[in-house]
Amino acid sequence: MPNGSFLSRLGPVLRPDSARVIIRPFRPAVEPRDLTPTDKTRANHIVDRVVALPPEEAAQQLADVLVNFDQRHRNLVGLFEARADEMEDAFADHAAFTKAQRQLIGAFFLHEYSFEASALFNPSIVLHPDQADCWAGSCRFILSLRAVGEGHISSLTFRTGTIGADGAVAIDEKSKLAAIPAVRSRVPGQLGDDVTVGFDAATDISERVIFPVTDAQSNGIEDARFVRLDDDGRIRYLATYTAYNGREIRSELIETPDFVDFRLTPLRGYAARNKGMALFPRKIGGRYAMIARQDNENLHLLYSSDLYFWEGGTPILRPRHFWEFVQIGNCGSPVELDEGWLLLTHGVGAIRKYTIGAVLLDKKDPSIVLARSRQPLIRPEPFEREGYVPNVVYTCGLIKHGADLVIPYAISDTFTNFATIPILQLLKTLDPI
């Protein structure tokens, strides 16, 4: 029996929506050749022009801006005020200006950004912290997704939904609004800033977009692998992700108790210099455990005493089959079964085709591989081969629901679908090692 014959592909398909926008700081470019040491910057010039408007005209122009944009964002005046606060240096030469002029200046230094205009993909999934009012046999979940907009900048966005007793997946309707969080604190470190950000708890989770907030993340927060971590009885949600600045990558960690407030921290150690790290959902032998691909080709098992420093590691999986000859990697955190730790893997084969397989690791010692896929479980079907990056299926995490695995997966780095696989049938397809 081919491995994929027992896989059920489910709707809905999540596609990028260019109508969803966040509002971000706008920084006018400066041409150094056009400036002398005594010249003002373009920001000063813009402020000069706004302050020169008669107060009544400034008030009218502000009113027009609000009519045009107010239904697209929450508390737009507050956003203008906050941006004006950041522009204090540009106000230094002006003795007085009206409140409307100040807010209008804030508006000139903001712009809308369609954060998922190009792609909505590489999902991970965890149980929702609030399971109240679920029907018997069903559950609520939070889905994280990588959104890509203009300039190929990646951010982190969310959806919620339910899995029914029959395994049917339903995605909640998303909000038309979206916003980036407020920065609560920023602590400089040797490897970069440790940043805490937060949203208004009254907003829908689908409105919350975590956009790059440090230099290391400036070109993207990529491929978050969320896991519900049982840390000796303390439940919290963590994800490793790839921070990308346009030249270099590194692994970082995001932590949240509630998907309202988030802490983003650079990971330390030799093993954190690459991408594709995935935490186990609990400690093993009193230590945190991670699956990682620190050499761009093979999978390693790592341990840490503090979550933030990852060194060494034991190689446990190397490419073996034709569909993974280029490299293998993890597809999110392992799922704990009675039989062991089930880890989905991705393999890269000929013509850089990505497929998804599985391995079973020993429960007490995950460095021991008990069995692995000979053939992929999920491979790009003809209708899944076209997109931003052709011939790719990929996931950053799955959950167990009853006797099945529920797997959200990306199609050609463009959009997202779901599949279910009966666990017992999957295990029967794995070749013992």
Side-chain angles (χ1 to χ4, degrees):
M1 178 192 300
N3 280 6
S5 63
F6 52 82
L7 177 141
S8 299
R9 283 173 164 83
L10 309 173
V13 173
L14 295 175
R15 296 183 179 275
D17 182 358
S18 61
R20 304 193 74 220
V21 294
I22 56 175
I23 199 160
R24 295 182 55 212
F26 165 63
R27 298 175 177 86
V30 175
E31 295 292 338
R33 66 177 180 273
D34 296 333
L35 297 177
T36 68
T38 58
D39 277 337
K40 295 181 178 181
T41 67
R42 287 183 65 195
N44 293 108
H45 296 159
I46 294 168
V47 173
D48 290 346
R49 292 166 190 145
V50 175
V51 173
L53 291 174
E56 61 277 8
E57 184 177 348
Q60 182 58 55
Q61 293 295 343
L62 176 64
D64 288 347
V65 171
L66 290 173
V67 167
N68 198 2
F69 289 94
D70 200 33
Q71 298 303 310
R72 297 167 65 84
H73 305 279
R74 294 186 188 276
N75 189 24
L76 197 55
V77 168
L79 294 173
F80 293 171
E81 289 276 8
R83 186 65 178 126
D85 289 344
E86 297 172 350
M87 302 300 300
E88 285 294 345
D89 288 348
F91 292 132
D93 294 339
H94 302 282
F97 37 83
T98 67
K99 186 174 183 180
Q101 287 171 327
R102 182 180 179 85
Q103 292 171 356
L104 190 57
I105 288 167
F108 272 96
F109 293 94
L110 293 168
H111 73 123
E112 286 189 333
Y113 182 83
S114 181
F115 62 96
E116 61 179 68
S118 299
L120 190 66
F121 66 120
N122 289 5
S124 70
I125 186 171
V126 291
L127 288 175
H128 198 293
D130 181 8
Q131 293 295 320
D133 301 324
C134 286
W135 293 97
S138 66
C139 69
R140 299 180 67 211
F141 63 80
I142 293 177
L143 189 73
S144 72
L145 297 139
R146 177 179 168 187
V148 177
E150 178 189 358
H152 198 76
I153 299 176
S154 298
S155 57
L156 181 60
T157 186
F158 303 97
R159 298 285 193 278
T160 55
T162 58
I163 305 171
D166 60 354
V169 175
I171 300 292
D172 297 333
E173 185 176 353
K174 66 181 182 292
S175 173
K176 294 180 181 179
L177 303 178
I180 58 177
V183 175
R184 309 289 195 206
S185 68
R186 186 185 294 269
V187 180
Q190 184 177 2
L191 295 179
D193 295 348
D194 185 327
V195 181
T196 299
V197 300
F199 295 90
D200 181 349
T203 60
D204 188 80
I205 191 171
S206 66
E207 294 185 36
R208 303 169 195 169
V209 180
I210 301 179
F211 207 80
V213 290
T214 68
D215 290 341
Q217 305 161 358
S218 55
N219 269 63
I221 294 174
E222 302 179 355
D223 302 345
R225 287 162 160 80
F226 270 92
V227 65
R228 180 180 183 271
L229 180 71
D230 184 346
D231 196 351
D232 298 327
R234 175 192 175 197
I235 302 299
R236 51 183 167 152
Y237 298 85
L238 297 96
T240 53
Y241 63 89
T242 301
Y244 178 53
N245 66 4
R247 302 174 305 280
E248 299 172 329
I249 60 169
R250 73 173 182 209
S251 287
E252 298 189 348
L253 186 71
I254 189 166
E255 307 170 61
T256 179
D258 52 14
F259 289 88
V260 175
D261 295 298
F262 299 82
R263 178 187 175 194
L264 293 78
T265 308
L267 294 179
R268 297 174 287 113
Y270 180 83
R273 67 190 178 95
N274 213 317
K275 58 169 60 179
M277 304 179 78
L279 280 162
F280 281 70
R282 64 171 175 83
K283 290 179 179 177
I284 298 174
R287 294 181 293 171
Y288 300 103
M290 185 93 78
I291 297 291
R293 193 186 66 220
Q294 62 205 64
D295 62 1
N296 290 305
E297 186 176 12
N298 309 297
L299 284 179
H300 295 68
L301 175 67
L302 291 74
Y303 288 103
S304 173
S305 61
D306 70 355
L307 272 178
Y308 306 106
F309 181 81
W310 298 90
E311 196 66 87
T314 302
I316 60 171
L317 280 168
R318 295 179 171 85
R320 171 180 290 189
H321 302 300
F322 180 79
W323 52 277
E324 57 188 17
F325 274 2
V326 175
Q327 69 185 40
I328 55 175
N330 71 69
C331 282
S333 297
V335 172
E336 188 169 9
L337 307 176
D338 291 340
E339 295 83 356
W341 293 104
L342 183 66
L343 175 71
L344 291 194
T345 63
H346 70 259
V348 183
I351 319 295
R352 201 171 176 265
K353 180 180 178 181
Y354 276 68
T355 52
I356 297 173
V359 299
L360 186 66
L361 308 177
D362 186 81
K363 205 163 186 176
K364 292 184 178 179
D365 182 0
S367 68
I368 299 172
V369 179
L370 302 177
R372 69 187 292 178
S373 298
R374 179 181 294 273
Q375 297 292 334
L377 303 173
I378 307 176
R379 67 186 79 197
E381 292 297 317
F383 66 91
E384 296 174 328
R385 298 186 66 176
E386 312 304 332
Y388 190 49
V389 181
N391 305 307
V392 174
V393 290
Y394 195 90
T395 182
C396 291
L398 65 156
I399 58 173
K400 178 179 178 291
H401 181 69
D404 296 329
L405 298 177
V406 177
I407 308 168
Y409 68 96
I411 298 170
S412 296
D413 280 13
T414 304
F415 52 97
T416 296
N417 203 7
F418 284 80
T420 61
I421 297 178
I423 294 170
L424 290 181
Q425 286 184 266
L426 185 157
L427 293 175
K428 288 177 182 178
T429 69
L430 302 184
D431 288 348
I433 300 302

